[in-house]
Amino acid sequence: MFVFLGGGIKNYLWHGIKQTATFFPITHFGSYILNRRRVVDLVLGSIEQQKVTRKGVARSVYLCGCRGMGKTCTLELIGEEFLGKGYEVFFYESVSHISDANFQEFKEYMKDKSRSVVILVDEIDFKPGSANLSLLLKLPCSNLIVIGAAVPSSVKSGTTGNFGKSIHMSDLVLKKGDSDFEALVETLVKSKHPAESSQICTNIAYFILE
């Protein structure tokens, strides 16, 4: 659930995925079939590795993928992981919401080293706010994690170059013969939403026949 009241950073605190979220949060179906769990695990693994490779600065990951690949839902799943670990999670639907005042507030907020903070930023391809995102990524705060997502062709390299790691979701799209199909079928079998399952089965059929 998002809390957007405008103004200070507390208005962007995130409290978890809404109950009305997708029936299939782990696997993304549509133009692409993608195991989101795999993406989440890669992000978490990179953040853990950066404890060594990026000591003393914010740890960060940039998720890039074309439209319709499920970047926003993947960000939410990542947020759920960190909420479960006791982190404060902030969610920005667009980088344009990170104002100069927001950046300065985060700068002060992170001086409390007892805080463990994750900032999720969707649509980082919007120009307004990108400078403040770059500044966040450079903060000397090992207790800060920043994860951004966008369509790769629309983001300036000056912004993405400040991230500790880039993950291309297109590299993780399921291909014919992948073992992940077993997990996919299990998801369908356990589904309590037959109408959606039927549509997904159709999508899978088209995918296999291509």
Side-chain angles (χ1 to χ4, degrees), residues 54-193:
R54 291 175 64 87
K55 285 184 178 179
V57 295
R59 291 172 283 159
S60 55
V61 172
Y62 161 49
L63 283 177
C64 58
C66 60
R67 301 194 185 283
M69 193 162 275
K71 296 183 295 297
T72 301
C73 188
T74 302
L75 281 179
E76 291 180 339
L77 288 171
I78 293 167
E80 287 280 315
E81 291 284 337
F82 284 109
L83 281 177
K85 295 178 180 181
Y87 283 75
E88 289 180 272
V89 177
F90 296 82
F91 198 114
Y92 286 86
E93 289 184 313
S94 163
V95 72
S96 61
H97 296 161
I98 306 177
S99 64
D100 293 347
N102 266 200
F103 168 71
Q104 292 299 331
E105 192 175 348
F106 268 121
K107 191 175 179 180
E108 291 300 312
Y109 196 70
M110 296 310 301
K111 287 182 179 178
D112 182 349
K113 300 303 180 183
S114 67
R115 298 185 185 282
S116 295
V117 173
V118 174
I119 303 175
L120 305 174
V121 189
D122 206 359
E123 306 291 350
I124 67 170
D125 45 332
F126 281 80
K127 291 180 182 178
S130 59
N132 290 324
L133 174 60
S134 295
L135 291 172
L136 277 175
L137 293 169
K138 296 175 183 177
L139 282 179
C141 305
S142 57
N143 55 332
L144 173 63
I145 296 169
V146 182
I147 301 169
V151 177
S153 60
S154 57
V155 185
K156 289 184 177 180
S157 59
T159 301
T160 60
N162 292 314
F163 281 90
K165 173 77 173 179
S166 293
I167 294 177
H168 294 261
M169 294 175 69
S170 58
D171 295 339
L172 303 172
V173 170
L174 283 179
K175 300 177 180 64
K176 297 171 187 177
D178 285 356
S179 59
D180 283 351
F181 270 114
E182 293 181 11
L184 183 152
V185 172
E186 184 179 354
T187 301
L188 291 174
V189 170
K190 292 181 178 179
S191 170
K192 296 180 181 179
H193 304 278

